[in-house]
Each structure stands twice: as C-alpha cells, then as structure tokens.
Amino acid sequence: MNVRDSEALAAILIGKGYTPVEHEEEADLLVFNTCSVREQAERKAIGKIGYMKKLKKLNPGLIIGCIGCMAQNRGEELFHLLPHLDFVLGTNQLHKLPEAVEKIVRERSSYQALSEDPHEVLAAMKGHLPGGIFGSIAITRGCNRFCSYCIVPYVRGREVSRDAADIIAEAESMVASGCREILLLGQNVAAYGLNGDVRPPADDCSPFAELLEKLCRIDGLQRIRFTSPYISYFSERLISVLASEPKICHCYHLPVQSGSNRILQLMNRQYTAESYLEKVNRIRSLIPDCTFTTDVIVGFPGETEEDFQQTRDLLNEVGFDHSFIFKYSPRSGTKAAEMPDQIPAEVKEERNAILLADLEKRVAEKLKNMPGTLQEVLVEGVSKRNSARWSGKTGNARTVVFEPDGGELCPGMLLNVRITQANPVSLFGKIER
Ligand code: 5AD
Ligand code: SF4
C-alpha cells in the first residue's frame, strides 16, 4: 500500500513540474513514506531520516518530510527526534504534499497535518507513473477489524471503499497506457463495498466479487490479483468468481497469523484453525491449481509451545508457497501490548527460526517439481541483470527469465515458457510457441 501511495504522490509531484532523480544526494526534496506495523519498521525509518542530516549540511535548501503511518503515529514527537525534519503528513493528508512543500519554501516554517477525514485522500491518490506492465490500485483504505496486535486501524483510520466507477476508470486508463496486470490493494481488500461491516458477508454476497467481474471485462487487461484479503470474507459468491474468471490469478495471500484457536481468539481473529482449513479446502476443490501464501506471527503474548506447535502444523498442512513470518512486536495503544505473558525475545527468535527452516524445506520441495512444467508468462521486458535475456511473471507472481527465440517478443504479451531451472528467486526457461 505504501509503494502504491508513493507512486501516486510521485505522479502528483511530476504533474506539478517536479523531476525525479536517481540518488538522494541529488534531491532538493526527500519524502519518507513510513510504516508502523512493527517497531523495527519505525526504527529503520528514524535511522534513515536521521542519516539524511548530513545531506542537509551539504544542501541547506534540502526539504525533508516524513509521511504515512509513522508520521500519523508519532506526529509532533518526530520534530524533536529529528530536528532537521521539515514536515510531517499523516495517512489521510498525503495528498497535501505539494501544499506542504510550497508552504515551507514560501515561509521557511515546518508543517504538520494529521487529520482524520479519509475521503479527500481517497479521491486524490489516482495518478500513475507511465509505462508499467504491472500496476496497482488501492480500492479501500483503512481497516475496521482491530486485530488485537495491530496498529493499522489506529494509524490508517476507518475503512472506506472507493466507487466502482472510479476504480474502473482508473484501470481503463492504466490499460490504455500499457498496463496488463493490476494488483488491487486494501488492508482488508475483500471487505470492499461492505461499508465497514465487520460481520463476514453472507454466502451469496460479495461487492468485491462484483467489482472483480467488472474489471475482468476490460479489454487488454490480462491479469488481476489482490492483497490482502481476510479469509472470512471469502463467501461462496467470491470463490465462484475466482474460479470462473480466467483473468484472476490463482494465488491467494491469506494471512493466518496463528494455528492455535486460543491465540486466534486473543488476537480477535474471526476464524478457527479448522474453519480456516475448511475454507482453504473449499477453494482448492474448485480451483485445484491454486497456491496460497500467508502471514504468521510468532511470540504473541501467552503463546505456549503447544500453541506454537499448532501453528507449525497448520502451516505444514496447508503447504503454503510462501509465508511471511513476523516476531510479535508490541504496538502501543493496541490491546495485545497490555496483555500478560509477553514472550521473551529469545523464544520469538527460536520460533521464527523453526518456521523459517520449515518454509525453506517446503520451498525446496516445490522447486524440485518446477523444471519441465509449462508456465504462462506475462512478458515485462529485457532482464535487468542480463540484457541478452528477457523476463516476465507467472500467474503466481514468480519471475521467469528466458532467451529470445527470434519470434515476436514485446512487453505485455503472454507467452508459454517451459521451465528448465528453478531457484528461490527466479525460474529460467525456454519459450514454447
Ligand atoms: N507484530 C508483528 N507482526 C505484526 N503484523 C501486524 N501487526 C504486527 C505486530 N504488532 C503482521 C501481521 C500482518 C502483517 C502485515 O504484519 O502478520 O498480516
Ligand atoms: Fe491489522 Fe489486517 Fe487485522 Fe486490519 S485485518 S487490524 S490491517 S491485521
């Protein structure tokens, strides 16, 4: 979501006559779009912005801003921590970036805005940088779920959905300028259009599925993905659209967080390990070639060895293609930060290492089966690493590198590639026409 927000802001600035530069040393304006989800993300951002002090010494006219979740979370405090900072803009004020910069240039004062109304930002963040085969659209902002560990509902505010017509117009204009694959974004993306209702939709209901159907009708758009959905919002209506629309990629990121029902309840998640697995199996029964990835937290307050073992078992049972493993990080203001039995760092580290080792084993196993398979690849262009080769992406977002075969080859086309070699980062193969 931050990458997408940064792109929209870059487009706004370019529209106002600013020019992007390659290196931070050349810039007159540096904007840090920050994350708050774990303490480490905040620490990194503060470290990086702190380091910029030396650039300001070399270029006293340099303007430095901190925006996004950490800006919203820490506000005023950031000016004390980072005295060379010129402005702070919260999550719903991102679109005020040009105004902030102009005011600073005019008045040489600092600037801070942290408001709550999400509608303006929603309407303003539509621009895209030209030329991409792969693009993304934020269809909702904010989150109403209040998982007990998570700071997002506090820093990004209540969930709001954009009008379908607006989203479709944005997608059409992206496709007209060459985009072929769109990633739909939202903190709880499948809750699109439910007006913040936290009850899972009935089986025959899914405004998100209706939006997907409309997007699938756009000529020239080849692929649609989305992230991150919450499994309880996978109604039968949604699953049947995922199964029947060929443009929607068959890979689903479904954060599970834990495999222990006791911990899931403490996390205020809305499912059990059993109901999660049931939904996964239901999706698999209708879409047999689908793959799953997930997010999981180790060391949530009170997590016992037995709870952890249940998480480990669930991850292995689903056989995720990838899992993002996070050590629980207490976020001030959230319920879990106040819970008893916080887990020591060494235990989190140990559990993290165990899940990583399990993941590596699973990934190695899956990679063994890749050579010989035929993959549909959306061509991106000449490979960045080796200009004699081209690269593209499979339907489940794996990079594939291949050599031109003398036939027609251009960015945005779909090709069949027979895989010859596979490593955790890329697949290599031969075009098959
Ligand atoms: N500590 C660790 N991981 C967290 N996540 C969210 N909040 C925290 C936290 N306080 C993880 C969840 C979420 C992902 C984006 O970040 O797994 O799905
Ligand atoms: Fe955070 Fe996701 Fe839960 Fe929302 S659904 S509170 S963003 S973990």
Side-chain angles (χ1 to χ4, degrees):
M1 188 66 100
N2 272 10
V3 171
R4 169 64 201 128
D5 282 347
S6 298
E7 185 198 17
L9 289 174
I12 292 177
L13 289 177
I14 290 168
K16 296 215 172 257
Y18 291 74
T19 313
V21 291
E22 273 297 300
H23 304 289
E24 53 211 26
E25 293 79 12
E26 305 160 45
D28 295 314
L29 168 65
L30 285 171
V31 185
F32 293 86
N33 192 4
T34 57
C35 174
S36 267
V37 82
R38 283 168 296 277
E39 196 195 342
Q40 205 198 352
E42 289 203 358
R43 230 185 290 130
K44 269 194 196 163
I46 290 173
K48 178 86 185 171
I49 302 171
Y51 187 69
M52 295 298 124
K53 200 170 173 174
K54 71 177 186 38
L55 289 187
K56 204 149 180 171
K57 283 215 175 95
L58 298 172
N59 174 8
L62 175 62
I63 295 173
I64 301 180
C66 175
I67 66 170
C69 293
M70 183 180 76
Q72 182 72 38
N73 192 28
R74 311 278 284 258
E76 181 78 32
E77 182 198 347
L78 290 172
F79 289 116
H80 302 295
L81 273 174
L82 303 158
H84 56 294
L85 200 59
D86 295 290
F87 66 92
V88 169
L89 288 181
T91 45
N92 287 330
Q93 296 293 328
L94 298 179
H95 59 299
K96 299 256 168 88
L97 177 58
E99 184 185 315
V101 177
E102 279 153 29
K103 189 163 187 288
I104 289 163
V105 171
R106 222 173 32 237
E107 299 173 15
R108 277 284 133 203
S109 60
S110 64
Y111 185 104
Q112 182 183 343
L114 309 165
S115 134
E116 275 299 302
D117 181 12
H119 291 97
E120 270 182 44
V121 74
L122 204 59
M125 304 283 278
K126 287 180 188 164
H128 288 264
L129 298 178
I133 299 293
F134 302 94
S136 50
I137 303 182
I139 64 167
T140 72
R141 298 185 79 84
C143 183
N144 288 3
R145 293 229 48 98
F146 288 93
C147 301
S148 64
Y149 50 82
C150 185
I151 200 171
V152 167
Y154 303 92
V155 291
R156 282 199 171 251
R158 291 298 70 72
E159 182 185 287
V160 281
S161 295
R162 289 177 55 191
D163 280 344
D166 218 36
I167 296 168
I168 288 157
E170 186 172 331
E172 282 172 343
S173 102
M174 290 162 76
V175 171
S177 60
C179 178
R180 294 291 171 263
E181 177 177 314
I182 293 180
L183 172 66
L184 303 174
L185 296 169
Q187 250 74 44
N188 181 2
V189 74
Y192 173 80
L194 290 172
N195 301 321
D197 192 342
V198 290
R199 287 166 306 177
D203 260 331
D204 58 354
C205 167
S206 177
F208 178 56
E210 284 157 28
L211 176 70
L212 285 170
E213 284 180 319
K214 289 183 192 142
L215 289 166
C216 287
R217 303 282 87 79
I218 298 178
D219 276 343
L221 180 59
Q222 309 272 30
R223 284 181 182 165
I224 300 171
R225 310 172 186 285
F226 53 90
T227 201
S228 282
Y230 190 111
I231 197 158
S232 322
Y233 294 74
F234 270 59
S235 61
E236 278 297 310
R237 168 87 172 99
L238 176 57
I239 299 174
S240 81
V241 169
L242 302 182
S244 60
E245 290 288 354
K247 288 186 182 180
I248 307 173
C249 293
H250 290 179
C251 56
Y252 313 112
H253 183 66
L254 285 174
V256 65
Q257 314 299 2
S258 171
S260 150
N261 290 341
R262 200 178 66 81
I263 296 293
L264 285 169
Q265 198 170 23
L266 287 172
M267 286 176 162
N268 193 27
R269 298 291 287 181
Q270 210 168 22
Y271 49 85
T272 59
E274 293 76 23
S275 66
Y276 182 97
L277 206 53
E278 211 174 283
K279 202 66 107 173
V280 161
N281 289 335
R282 173 73 186 145
I283 300 168
R284 272 192 176 140
S285 72
L286 294 178
I287 312 170
D289 67 346
C290 74
T291 58
F292 295 98
T293 56
T294 200
D295 291 347
V296 58
I297 297 176
V298 293
F300 183 85
E303 185 186 67
T304 62
E305 274 306 319
E306 196 189 335
D307 294 319
F308 171 67
Q309 197 53 49
Q310 289 171 355
T311 298
R312 200 176 168 194
D313 292 345
L314 183 63
L315 295 186
N316 286 329
E317 183 159 358
V318 176
F320 291 103
D321 263 37
H322 190 71
S323 35
F324 297 90
I325 305 155
F326 302 109
K327 288 174 270 185
Y328 169 70
S329 165
R331 309 311 290 130
S332 158
T334 61
K335 278 216 175 106
E338 307 303 323
M339 286 181 187
D341 303 323
Q342 297 283 328
I343 305 295
E346 320 80 80
V347 176
K348 289 182 196 168
E349 197 51 66
E350 194 187 322
R351 292 178 183 170
N352 183 58
I354 292 173
L355 293 190
L356 271 178
D358 285 355
L359 172 66
E360 263 170 45
K361 236 200 279 167
R362 257 197 333 265
V363 168
E365 207 50 49
K366 286 182 195 268
L367 284 179
K368 260 201 245 154
N369 300 327
M370 288 303 293
T373 60
L374 194 63
Q375 301 286 332
E376 186 194 63
V377 173
L378 179 57
V379 176
E380 188 167 19
V382 174
S383 161
K384 287 184 191 101
R385 293 225 180 126
N386 177 345
S387 61
R389 290 167 163 177
W390 281 57
S391 74
K393 290 230 159 82
T394 66
N396 57 3
R398 303 288 314 272
T399 298
V400 181
V401 178
F402 52 90
E403 278 171 17
D405 63 351
E408 191 203 347
L409 192 55
C410 63
M413 73 190 284
L414 285 171
L415 273 181
N416 284 324
V417 175
R418 182 76 62 186
I419 303 304
T420 51
Q421 252 188 66
N423 70 42
V425 184
S426 319
L427 305 170
F428 298 85
K430 269 194 147 130
I431 299 174
E432 218 168 273
R433 307 230 186 209

